[in-house]
Amino acid sequence: MKSFHLLAAAVPYAMGCSNWRSHACGGAFVSSSVEAANFCATFTTAVITVTDAVPTLFLSACDGKVNHLSSACSCYVTGATGVEASSPTAIVSSSTADLPSSATRISTFLTYTAPASIGSATSGLPNSVSTSSQVKLPTEPATVVVGSGACTVTEYAQLSSAVASCTNIVLSDLSMPASSTLDLQGLQTGSVVTFEGTTTFGTTDDDDFDPIVVSGHDITLQGTNGHVIEGNGAAYWDGQGSNGGSSKPDHFFVVKKTYNSKIIGLNIKNWPTHCFYINGNYNLQMSDITLDNSDGDAANDSSDGDPAAHNTDGFDISASDTVTLSNIWVHNQDDCVAVTSGSNIVIDGIYCYGGHGLSIGSIGGKSNNTVDGVTFANAQVVDSQNGVRIKTNSGTTGTVANVIYRNVTMSGITTYGLDVQQDYLNGGPTGDPTNGVTIKGVTFEDVTGTATGKAYNYYILCGDGSCSDFTYTGVSITGGSSGGSCNYPSSGCPS
């Protein structure tokens, strides 16, 4: 990994440089090392004397002053000679995956040894995603060692002050009271939050309550070995999820308005309904995450013989640009991943069990109805309703473009192996497709496996003229007794 004079490895005290921990300008450059290196290379070469085109993060932290920007580049990036005695050790991931450059820095406070990647998450460009990876299950835990100087939070009352004043926060065996959000929206730039032990949540019968909310710039969320985030789902599960029944939190872990941030090595169990709600983010890296809702498979006294957990999506992604999920393991009862809007999204290396598969949609009738550039690669979908699917809402408008499903294997699929439908109304299919949402540029490559029972191996129901440019290479799904039903292309279903 190129170091770009990695800031945390050599924080200088010479040349009159301030301690980066106590100065916002220096802290911004330390916490965003790759971005700082790229900016300073141009800044010092061109001898820029105005603040036009300076990244907003640095411009704000450095008070809009050219001399502060110049000093930060000199002190923290371009070769100052001293080393602060108390500076933390630079972090290097052991993974050899060629992630986007901003993903190479893990943390300035933690030592992190990544597990071997189950996918080969590459540059994030769809055509460069490997087709040879095999998915391991579940994800191997990362090794995380908390550095000195951490603010350890063991009670809810300590949380707000830690978020306001610390950049290295450990949440240790934290028990959240009812109606109290684990609120990480005020994190300082570059903060690292580590979950340690067991995090629990009191019962809050409120559809609008979010147990965890996160936002910020250049933040990292991680978990130590053996930690568990226990969502208390059993207190809510009634077989109806967010469709009815008792009131329950609709989103468990909200990630919104993050910039250049990472969520790695988390272990989450028993969330009430939708787990991760990912909205309004830019350049978000999520990896080595285990979502285990297997306890919700069994019926309970309220579920009328059905699985008690319902609407338990793993990852719902919307209105975000440049999001990467890698080395993910999910056992749930609804969509493993659902992308409803956004661009440049890569899911590479994922195992999905028991849910509704890898989904685009549903699209249409929302505030943002554009999906452009989504890749699902190196995936296994097991004992689920669907394998891969795209669904749009009847009588609405929108765009789905440049979608790739590559190296996806499936088994035990009970409804649709490969599914594209444009007839959803009130959450279900009508059999009457509409063409207000266009679907174009969809590639299915090496999508293989088996369906079972009365399932359709292929089901494509497009509106009049609204589907175009579908490509099939190495596609073979067998076993479903309903075979295939495809009204697009004119040649019919893949053979």
Side-chain angles (χ1 to χ4, degrees):
M1 182 186 77
K2 295 181 179 179
S3 67
F4 298 105
H5 298 89
L6 258 177
L7 313 179
V11 178
Y13 61 77
M15 300 172 61
C17 298
S18 63
N19 185 329
W20 60 270
R21 292 187 182 90
S22 60
H23 194 281
C25 187
F29 274 67
V30 168
S31 63
S32 302
S33 59
V34 175
E35 295 80 2
N38 292 337
F39 164 69
C40 290
T42 303
F43 183 94
T44 55
T45 298
V47 194
I48 298 172
T49 57
V50 296
T51 56
D52 293 343
V54 176
T56 302
L57 170 62
F58 301 146
L59 188 63
S60 174
C62 299
D63 302 320
K65 296 181 179 180
V66 173
N67 62 326
H68 287 187
L69 293 163
S70 178
S71 295
C73 284
S74 297
C75 288
Y76 304 112
V77 179
T78 57
T81 58
V83 177
E84 180 186 0
S86 61
S87 63
T89 303
I91 302 306
V92 178
S93 168
S94 67
S95 171
T96 58
D98 182 16
L99 291 169
S101 60
S102 61
T104 56
R105 175 180 44 80
I106 301 299
S107 164
T108 59
F109 291 99
L110 303 180
T111 299
Y112 173 80
T113 303
S117 175
I118 61 171
S120 54
T122 60
S123 66
L125 298 176
N127 289 334
S128 67
V129 177
S130 167
T131 61
S132 61
S133 300
Q134 295 299 315
V135 180
K136 294 187 287 187
L137 52 137
T139 61
E140 297 177 5
T143 299
V144 174
V145 179
V146 179
S148 61
C151 296
T152 300
V153 175
T154 59
E155 299 177 359
Y156 170 65
Q158 302 168 337
L159 180 64
S160 60
S161 61
V163 169
S165 61
C166 304
T167 56
N168 181 13
I169 301 169
V170 177
L171 307 177
S172 182
D173 289 313
L174 185 60
S175 178
M176 296 296 297
S179 303
S180 301
T181 295
L182 206 171
D183 191 346
L184 302 175
Q185 296 178 86
L187 290 171
Q188 300 180 60
T189 297
S191 290
V192 175
V193 178
T194 303
F195 288 86
E196 179 180 78
T198 301
T199 304
T200 60
F201 298 83
T203 303
T204 305
D205 298 324
D206 184 349
D207 296 337
D208 297 322
F209 175 71
D210 299 323
I212 305 174
V213 183
V214 178
S215 62
H217 282 208
D218 296 275
I219 60 174
T220 299
L221 272 61
Q222 302 194 67
T224 61
N225 288 353
H227 85 284
V228 176
I229 301 172
E230 165 58 62
N232 192 28
Y236 305 98
W237 294 334
D238 56 11
Q240 298 186 61
S242 56
N243 293 335
S246 63
S247 295
K248 55 186 75 72
D250 193 29
H251 302 119
F252 178 66
F253 201 132
V254 176
V255 183
K256 64 180 183 179
K257 298 180 182 178
T258 66
Y259 176 84
N260 285 353
S261 296
K262 305 171 189 66
I263 300 175
I264 53 181
L266 296 188
N267 179 24
I268 301 175
K269 294 187 59 140
N270 303 329
W271 56 98
T273 60
H274 310 85
C275 188
F276 277 107
Y277 177 70
I278 302 163
N279 178 266
N281 302 280
Y282 176 75
N283 195 21
L284 174 64
Q285 307 284 336
M286 304 182 71
S287 63
D288 310 312
I289 294 172
T290 295
L291 304 184
D292 183 1
N293 227 33
S294 56
D295 288 352
D297 286 344
N300 65 16
D301 292 341
S302 301
S303 66
D304 195 27
D306 294 327
H310 192 69
N311 297 133
T312 54
D313 294 18
F315 299 84
D316 289 338
I317 304 172
S318 60
S320 296
D321 183 16
T322 312
V323 175
T324 299
L325 276 61
S326 60
N327 198 13
I328 306 294
W329 191 94
V330 179
H331 182 146
N332 69 338
Q333 297 80 24
D334 210 306
D335 290 324
C336 184
V337 178
V339 180
T340 58
S341 59
S343 58
N344 303 314
I345 296 166
V346 175
I347 297 92
D348 184 9
I350 187 167
Y351 175 89
C352 305
Y353 182 93
H356 294 179
L358 301 171
S359 299
I360 302 289
S362 57
I363 309 298
K366 303 171 184 176
S367 59
N368 187 328
N369 300 290
T370 300
V371 173
D372 190 356
V374 179
T375 295
F376 295 94
N378 306 313
Q380 292 182 22
V381 183
V382 178
D383 291 352
S384 300
Q385 281 192 14
N386 312 296
V388 299
R389 68 170 173 172
I390 301 173
K391 56 180 180 177
T392 69
N393 291 322
S394 179
T396 64
T397 60
T399 301
V400 177
N402 304 311
V403 174
I404 297 173
Y405 288 96
R406 174 177 290 147
N407 193 27
V408 179
T409 62
M410 63 187 76
S411 60
I413 303 303
T414 60
T415 306
Y416 301 112
L418 187 158
D419 179 33
V420 179
Q421 289 183 253
Q422 296 203 275
D423 64 337
Y424 269 72
L425 185 65
N426 297 324
T430 65
D432 184 16
T434 61
N435 62 3
V437 180
T438 60
I439 305 176
K440 58 185 177 181
V442 182
T443 298
F444 299 97
E445 180 180 335
D446 297 324
V447 177
T448 61
T450 57
T452 187
K454 296 181 179 179
Y456 285 89
N457 302 320
Y458 310 100
Y459 189 86
I460 299 178
L461 185 63
C462 290
D464 185 15
S466 52
C467 292
S468 63
D469 191 22
F470 284 19
T471 302
Y472 302 94
T473 305
V475 174
S476 177
I477 302 170
T478 60
S481 64
S482 296
S485 174
C486 304
N487 73 347
Y488 177 84
S490 58
S491 56
C493 298
S495 56

